[in-house]
Every structure is written in C-alpha cells, then in structure tokens.
C-alpha cells in the first residue's frame, strides 16, 4: 500500500458523533481520511506526533457572516486559527449579491470596510460566489442568498416578487442552499409573511433551506416564532432558526424563550427538519440601522442620511426608537459599542457613553452623526452590544436542539479589518465554547464538539464532513488542551488563537504548529456536497 500523506499518532480523538473520547491514530490520503484506529504498521510521508493532544473534526460554524470579509481576508486568519474549517454564510438576509446597478456604490463601501479594494463587477449571485472562490479561500463555505439582497435587486421590476423568485432560483442553480431573512432591520422588516412563503415554496421545490433572523425577539417573540414556522411549513423547507435568544431587559414576556425552544422540539417531533443556534458570549454584533423606525428606513439610504441632518427628524427618531436593541430606548447606552464605521474609525471599539464624552453631546446625537456621515453606506455601520444574561446564554448553549455558532465574520490583524475587530468574539468565539462553557459544565466536551461539527454537517447536508471516520473529507484539527486551559478567551485579543496547533482543510495543512501556511484549499459546498 502506498504511504499515507499524513499519519497523526498518539492523540485522544473526539470524532464528532457525540461518542466518548478515545485513543486512535488517523491516516490521511489526498483529501480524505484513510483510517481511524490503531495501526502501528502504517507508513506516511509525514508523521505528526500528537501525544497529549486532542483531535476533532474541523469546526463548522452554522451561522457566520464571513461572506462579508472573505474577499478581504481569503486566508480566514481569525477563524482558521481556531480550527474552523467550514462556515455557513449568507445569513440574516444580508449578502452582497445579487445586486442592481443602484447598489454598486453601497456594496463597494461595505466591502472596503472589510478589506476588499477590488471592483464590484458582479451582479448575480453566481458571479459573486465565483469571485469569492476564485481567490480561493482557506476555509470551506456553504452559502445562503440573502432575502434583503433579493428584495433590493428586484425593486425596479414590474413584478417584484416574481423577480425575487427568479433571482432565488438562479442563486440556487449557482449553489446556494436556500435563502436567509433578516426581518428586524433593513427592507426585510417590510416583507409580508406571504412574500416569504412564496420564496420558501420556491426553495422547497429544490429541497432548499430557510434560515431566519426572525422579526422579533422581545415583546413579540411568540408571534415571530409562529410566523417562522408558518413560512417553513407552507414552503416545505428545511430550516434554521438563527440565534434564537432573548436580549436582556427588552420586555420579553415571561417564559417566551422557553416556549420558543419547546416549539423547535415539537416541530422536530412532527418531522420538520429544524434546529436553532446560539452564540458563545453575552455580546454580539448588530446593524445600526435596526434602531431606526420604519417610516425612515423605508427610504433609500442616502435620503435617510440627508434627513438625519434635520433636527425635527432626529427628535422624532428619539421618540420612536423602541425596537431591535430596545434597551437603548431605555437609556442603556453603556451596553453598546461602535463596531464598524468607515467614517469614524477613531470611535470603533468605544462605548457610546465614551463616544458621547469625546463628541461633546449625547449618545443619540452620536449615532445620528455616524449614520448621516455614512450616507448611502449606512447599512455597513455595525454595533457591538452586551445582549444576554449568563444564565440565558448557558441555557441556550446547553439545549439539545441548538447548534453552536458565533454570528461574526473572519478577520485578520492587518489592513482595514485590523482595529475594528479587536474583540474576543472574532478571535476566540469558537474556542470559548471549549475554554469556558465546557469547564463550566454547560455541556460536555463530546457534546460541544458534536454541536460544532457532526450535528451541523448532518443538518445542513454536508456529505462526508463533520466526523472522524474513514472516507470522510480530511477537515481535521489538533488541539492542545493545555493551551485551551490557559487561554483567556474573555480578554481582548492580542494574537490569533493558538490552541489549534494543526489544521487540515480537505487534506491540506493550513495551520502547522499554530502558524498559517498560506494555503487556501477551501471549496464552495452545496447541499449534499
């Protein structure tokens, strides 16, 4: 038998199925795993001594926004260094394709903030993903097409809904697994249930998926979950209920989250292929325009920016700003930091009280000034918020029907992305599950890995991924438990995560001895690929 390409020896493995850790060697040949077991006679071109290490399948993020930064950071530095080999992208309705000619400048501005300086020479979804994967990328990507993008690209059509369906079908022909919605901000908040059902039926005819940032996660959570399942059932789609959580102190009725989680369980028992997901930290990213009222954001972004220069408009927004992150309307600005603003980079990372002190005015005025300055690109302004209580976080992370994602994007410590992403969410979000939630007893190591690998792959239809077994694709991570134990995943990052000592993607070493090799073997994954 020809020698293996790689032989990994001496480690404990957690195979991604939920089974208990065990001692095994792993042989790699080409892009596949050749064997998992004890094989003292195996020969390999390269043998890696993994004594004292932990080997897992490559981590899979079920809810990522790395499509925003993949063109600016195709090496996926922050995520690949955590052992993330596959990301499900295109979430919350926001993708940068399809786009119409009217969207080119806004798209260019948003992508410049993410480190991409090239031309916006695509219009349809197929052209866009071809551009991303011609890079190529270090990690595998599986794509949704965004409902907000479909709406925007179809807005000039005589029959807008028919055009949305056509664009969705084109995107699925190009490899999208379905569509995502973001119903709490942007034009998604104006979509009717009937519109979403029509799109879901189009996706369902192709065995597609629907992922949704649902319409409400506070006072009207019950109704938002009901709408989600109405769409899923009518469309006959597989489904993902994105980051199902309740933000702290925003008026959710008692027991609303428990009822929502129980509904996911009940729907699965009825045969609906649905799961939810959760994030690792009490804080997360959000869209600044989500704080604006519908009567304002229904207009083109450049017009909104101009209107925000008017004192009367600003005063009206202050009175009508009780939405999205509703704790802001309650005066809890200390829970909000500025994440991304190309016009005010000096404020990125600061809390709004800190910004207000520097700017010499109050927090609402600072937000208005930031959005007004962004102009047509205000959709790219992002916030970081302290969103959840520790108890709620643990409850969701430990739930059997919740996958473990991060709801962020891959970043790097150079160029445009450096500075605006100096938050542990981006650099340690995935390993935080292992470094914090496992030791805290929220879930076992084997369960955590299962919910970050095999369970994700099965739900999204990733064939031969997410498990350590013969014949599976060689997406593999070698973790050093000692590094996990000593890493402060709460603190501000000063370097890339180091616990993932070796990472292979499709059998190609992308991280060796915790150093990026510069190789980009990632591929676009489609349903059952």
């Amino acid at each position: 038998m020809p020698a293996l390409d790689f032989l990994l020896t001496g480690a404990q493995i957690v195979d991604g199925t939920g089974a208990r850790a065990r001692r095994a060697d792993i042989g790699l040949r080409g892009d596949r795993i050749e064997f998992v077991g004890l094989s003292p006679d195996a020969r390999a071109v390269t043998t890696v001594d993994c004594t004292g290490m932990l080997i897992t399948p490559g981590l899979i993020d079920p809810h990522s926004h790395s499509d925003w930064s993949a063109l600016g950071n195709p090496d996926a530095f922050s995520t690949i260094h955590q052992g993330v080999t596959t990301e499900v992208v295109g979430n919350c309705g926001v993708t940068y394709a399809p786009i119409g000619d009217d969207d080119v400048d806004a798209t260019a501005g948003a992508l410049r903030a993410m480190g991409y300086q090239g031309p916006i020479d695509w219009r349809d979804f197929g052209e866009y993903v071809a551009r991303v994967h011609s890079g190529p990328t270090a990690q595998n990507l599986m794509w949704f097409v965004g409902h907000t993008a479909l709406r925007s690209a179809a807005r000039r059509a005589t029959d807008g809904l028919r055009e949305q369906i056509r664009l969705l079908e084109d995107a699925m022909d190009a490899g999208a697994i379905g569509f995502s919605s973001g119903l709490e901000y942007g034009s998604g908040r104006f979509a009717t249930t009937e519109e979403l059902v029509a799109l879901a039926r189009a996706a369902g005819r192709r065995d597609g998926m629907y992922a949704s940032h649902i319409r409400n996660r506070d006072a009207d959570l019950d109704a938002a979950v009901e709408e989600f399942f109405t769409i899923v059932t009518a469309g006959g789609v597989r489904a993902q209920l994105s980051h199902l959580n309740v933000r702290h102190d925003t008026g959710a009725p008692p027991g609303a989250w428990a009822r929502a989680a129980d509904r996911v369980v009940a729907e699965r028992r009825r045969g609906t292929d649905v799961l939810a997901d959760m994030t690792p930290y009490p804080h997360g990213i959000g869209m600044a325009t989500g704080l604006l009222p519908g009567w304002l954001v229904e207009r083109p972004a450049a017009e909104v920016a101009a209107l925000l220069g008017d004192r009367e408009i600003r005063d009206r927004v202050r009175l009508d700003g009780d939405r999205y992150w509703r704790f802001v309307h309650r005066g809890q600005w200390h829970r909000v930091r500025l994440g991304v603003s190309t016009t005010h980079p000096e404020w990125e990372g600061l809390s709004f009280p800190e910004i207000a002190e520097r700017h010499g005015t109050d927090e609402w005025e600072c937000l208005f000034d930031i959005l007004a300055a962004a102009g047509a690109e205000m959709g790219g302004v992002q916030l970081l918020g302290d969103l959840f209580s520790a108890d709620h976080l643990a409850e969701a992370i430990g739930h059997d029907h919740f996958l473990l994602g991060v709801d962020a994007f891959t970043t790097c410590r150079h160029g445009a992305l450096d500075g605006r992403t100096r938050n542990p969410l981006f650099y340690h979000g995935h390993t935080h599950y292992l470094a914090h939630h496992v030791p805290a007893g929220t879930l076992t190591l084997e369960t955590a890995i299962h919910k970050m690998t095999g369970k994700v792959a099965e739900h999204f239809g990733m064939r031969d991924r997410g498990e350590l077994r013969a014949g599976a694709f060689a997406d593999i991570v070698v973790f050093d438990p000692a590094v996990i134990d000593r890493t402060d995943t709460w603190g501000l990052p000063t370097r890339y995560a180091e616990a993932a000592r070796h990472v292979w993607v499709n059998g190609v070493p992308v991280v060796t001895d915790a150093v990026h090799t510069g190789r980009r073997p990632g591929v676009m994954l489609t349903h059952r690929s």
Side-chain angles (χ1 to χ4, degrees):
M1 176 184 294
L4 299 161
D5 294 323
F6 294 93
L7 177 62
L8 317 182
T9 65
Q12 291 286 110
I13 73 165
V14 175
D15 65 11
T17 68
R20 296 193 63 174
R22 69 185 191 275
R23 166 75 178 84
D25 301 330
I26 301 178
L28 313 184
R29 191 189 309 279
D31 63 356
R32 301 274 180 160
I33 297 173
E34 182 78 8
F35 77 87
V36 178
L38 299 177
S39 183
D41 298 327
R43 297 180 301 109
V45 174
T46 302
T47 298
V48 182
D49 182 1
C50 300
T51 302
M53 301 293 180
L54 176 72
I55 301 180
T56 76
L59 305 185
I60 305 173
D61 191 336
H63 185 97
S64 170
H65 292 285
S66 286
D67 50 307
W68 298 351
S69 59
L71 285 169
N73 178 31
D75 292 302
F77 284 105
S78 67
T79 46
I80 206 75
H81 272 289
Q82 295 178 72
V84 180
T85 59
T86 300
E87 303 185 49
V88 180
V89 298
N91 286 288
C92 296
V94 183
T95 52
Y96 293 122
I99 60 172
D101 290 340
D102 294 342
D103 300 318
V104 171
D105 288 344
T107 300
L111 289 176
R112 276 197 304 271
M114 296 292 164
Y116 174 67
Q117 301 296 328
I120 311 299
D121 53 5
W122 63 84
R123 295 297 180 270
D124 65 42
F125 185 83
E127 293 170 335
Y128 174 51
V129 294
R131 168 58 63 87
V132 171
H133 287 281
S134 67
T137 58
Q139 81 283 51
N140 305 310
L141 299 175
M142 177 173 265
W143 293 77
F144 287 106
V145 62
H147 167 242
T148 304
L150 297 174
R151 280 190 120 236
S152 182
R155 67 179 177 269
R156 293 189 179 276
T158 302
D159 188 334
L161 180 55
R162 178 176 294 183
E163 179 66 1
Q164 282 190 63
I165 292 171
R166 184 190 72 78
L167 292 168
L168 170 59
E169 291 173 341
D170 285 352
M172 293 188 72
D173 287 342
I177 62 170
F179 76 107
S180 71
S181 65
L183 305 180
E184 219 175 1
Y185 46 72
S187 70
R189 72 168 80 168
F190 305 113
T192 64
T193 304
E194 292 73 23
E195 174 185 326
L196 295 160
V197 165
L199 289 165
R201 285 175 173 153
R205 289 192 291 269
R206 297 167 179 245
D207 191 27
M209 289 191 78
Y210 172 57
S212 183
H213 175 134
I214 57 176
R215 207 174 293 273
N216 184 277
R217 285 178 287 158
D218 45 67
D220 294 319
L221 176 62
D222 293 301
V225 171
E226 183 64 36
E227 180 188 41
F228 173 78
F229 282 110
T230 295
I231 296 162
V232 169
T233 301
V237 286
R238 298 173 292 117
Q240 185 68 17
L241 210 172
S242 300
H243 40 56
L244 175 56
N245 49 51
V246 172
R247 304 179 189 109
H248 178 62
D249 195 22
T250 54
W257 182 85
R259 288 192 296 274
D262 288 346
R263 181 69 182 275
V264 174
V265 175
E267 290 290 340
R268 282 188 65 83
R269 287 175 179 162
R270 281 194 283 268
T272 305
D273 189 356
V274 61
L275 289 173
D277 53 69
M278 189 52 184
T279 52
Y281 288 106
H283 53 268
I285 60 175
M287 313 294 284
T289 53
L291 298 175
L292 300 179
W295 55 263
L296 183 60
V297 295
E298 66 184 353
R299 304 166 184 266
E303 184 178 341
V304 174
L307 287 170
L308 283 173
D310 183 272
R311 169 50 52 196
E312 182 179 347
I313 294 293
R314 291 190 176 203
D315 290 343
R316 285 182 62 192
V317 173
R318 284 172 177 265
L319 296 173
D320 193 14
D322 190 9
R323 61 183 45 77
Y324 193 39
W325 289 2
R326 298 183 67 188
F327 53 83
V328 168
H329 193 68
R330 301 179 180 199
Q332 298 174 21
W333 281 103
H334 62 280
R335 294 172 59 181
V336 187
R337 293 179 179 273
L338 181 62
V340 175
S341 169
T342 56
T343 60
H344 293 77
E346 72 280 7
W347 291 349
E348 290 174 343
L350 299 178
S351 71
F352 268 77
E354 290 172 326
I355 294 171
E357 183 177 358
R358 295 189 182 195
H359 197 40
T361 185
D362 73 4
E363 292 86 355
W364 277 112
E365 292 300 307
C366 294
L367 177 68
F368 297 148
D369 288 347
I370 291 166
L371 291 174
E377 300 173 11
M378 69 166 56
V381 179
Q382 295 176 20
L383 308 176
L384 281 165
D386 294 329
L387 306 178
F388 317 117
S389 69
D391 288 345
H392 176 50
L393 195 69
E395 187 176 25
I397 288 170
H399 196 286
D400 288 344
H401 291 64
F402 279 60
L403 304 174
L404 305 182
V406 170
D407 191 14
F409 49 87
T410 190
T411 188
C412 54
R413 297 305 306 271
H414 60 270
L417 285 164
D418 186 25
R420 61 176 45 113
T421 51
R422 291 193 177 181
N423 186 284
L425 181 73
F426 299 97
Y427 290 89
H428 297 294
H430 301 275
T431 51
H432 188 68
Y433 287 114
L434 307 181
H436 174 72
H437 292 290
V438 168
T442 305
L443 67 180
T444 67
L445 173 65
E446 290 85 354
T447 299
I449 295 299
H450 178 50
K451 289 165 59 136
M452 299 169 80
T453 59
K455 194 166 187 173
V456 187
E458 179 184 17
H459 183 54
F460 284 90
M462 301 175 184
R463 180 175 294 173
D464 292 337
R465 296 190 191 269
E467 295 182 8
L468 298 179
R469 57 173 172 78
F473 284 99
D475 295 344
I476 293 175
V477 187
V478 179
F479 285 109
D480 185 337
V483 176
I484 293 176
D485 289 345
R486 69 171 182 257
T487 299
D488 176 15
T489 54
W490 287 103
L492 291 175
T494 56
R495 60 175 63 89
Y496 297 118
E498 297 177 325
R501 308 305 295 176
H502 303 278
V503 181
W504 286 264
V505 178
N506 298 314
V508 176
V510 181
V511 174
T512 299
D513 293 323
V515 176
H516 201 302
T517 66
R519 303 180 74 176
R520 299 176 184 171
V523 297
M524 179 178 179
L525 302 184
T526 57
H527 180 49
R528 303 301 177 194
S529 71

